Amino acid sequence: MKTLLIDAGNTTIDFRVYDSKDKKIRKKYRCFTYSNDWKDAKWAKEIIYDQILFTSVVPEFTEFIENLNIDALDIKKAEKLDLDKLGVRHITELGSDFIANLHALKKPNAIVISVGTTTTIMKVKDFKFDGSIIAPGIRISLKWLIKSASLLGKGDFKWSEEMVGFDTKTAISIGAINGHFEMIKGLVSQIKISGEYDIIITGGNANLMETGIQKEKWIWNEQLIFDGMVNLL
Ligand SMILES: Nc1ncnc2c1ncn2[C@@H]1O[C@H](COP(=O)(O)OP(=O)(O)O)[C@@H](O)[C@H]1O
Ligand SMILES: CC(C)(COP(=O)(O)O)[C@@H](O)C(=O)NCCC(=O)O
């Protein structure tokens, strides 16, 4: 049985395929949410899938897929979804991405960090939602920094091993990338977790902070949201 899994986020829409035979999730196609690429709905016309499951935090995408009148299930309407078990009072309280990520967890206590358009930190206790933090994402911060200061230009900003920069590009790299990582670390330590907590990081911008993630020994799961979706099938 093949399932088309779709994760519609504010920056990208990511299509993957889950095959129940070998239980693997394979990458298929990813496009920018602001592009019109997904609107041709080519993916919806492929008949090789037995079902389509999606998670969306983009109302335009949700509306679009609903109007296609195809058999595509929103995880918010999945039969297996048990809000009491997740500690959520109402489905509107939490984004679909949080709900899918909650279903991906193997251990009861975790901090789930998602670095996409926004940077979200979710605390999970006994498999239940135990609060979250939402901050502007790395790319948003960088974009507005560059837009707001006339002399700053676009660049290939990346993780830096320097403490301070002696050129503008390095200085911005430290501020935007290393600084973002330090912000996450600070917020995680502010949560004051006691006992055993897995710290899991996911999202399209995690690769920018790979060095820090490895230093902290956080678990990096690039397909966390899809793992959660599969558990809702
Ligand atoms: N194939 C890809 N296409 C576009 N962006 C990608 C791709 N792979 C990684 N990215 C990165 O992912 C970031 C967006 O992260 P993502 O987790 O998709 O955010 P969201 O869930 O908010 O849409 C982009 O800024 C880009 O740097
Ligand atoms: C916090 C988010 C913007 C994160 O989205 P992302 O950065 O992954 O695109 C998303 O989970 C969201 O829109 N939450 C609010 C859901 C709601 O209030 O209905």
Side-chain angles (χ1 to χ4, degrees), residues 13-16 27-31 37-38 40 43:
I13 302 189
D14 196 349
F15 298 77
R16 305 210 182 179
K27 289 185 184 178
K28 181 174 169 61
Y29 167 63
R30 194 170 183 176
C31 60
D37 296 359
W38 50 274
D40 64 11
W43 45 272

Side-chain angles (χ1 to χ4, degrees), residues 93-112:
E93 274 179 18
L94 215 52
S96 280
D97 45 354
F98 283 81
I99 296 201
N101 286 338
L102 272 170
H103 283 87
L105 303 180
K106 295 196 182 90
K107 291 201 192 149
N109 301 330
I111 300 288
V112 179

Side-chain angles (χ1 to χ4, degrees), residues 35-106:
S35 74
N36 285 323
D37 296 359
W38 50 274
K39 291 184 184 160
D40 64 11
K42 270 193 195 141
W43 45 272
K45 289 169 199 134
E46 286 186 58
I47 49 165
I48 52 166
Y49 307 113
D50 300 285
Q51 54 190 349
I52 299 176
L53 185 67
F54 71 94
T55 173
S56 171
V57 291
V58 182
E60 195 191 353
F61 179 82
T62 313
E63 219 174 278
F64 179 81
I65 197 165
E66 281 171 358
N67 287 336
L68 282 178
N69 280 322
I70 53 168
D71 210 3
L73 181 67
D74 186 337
I75 64 148
K76 285 195 163 184
K77 293 176 188 154
E79 247 175 62
K80 280 196 188 167
L81 194 70
D82 181 344
L83 293 182
D84 282 345
K85 232 167 112 183
L86 300 178
V88 180
R89 275 168 305 183
H90 197 270
I91 196 73
T92 53
E93 274 179 18
L94 215 52
S96 280
D97 45 354
F98 283 81
I99 296 201
N101 286 338
L102 272 170
H103 283 87
L105 303 180
K106 295 196 182 90

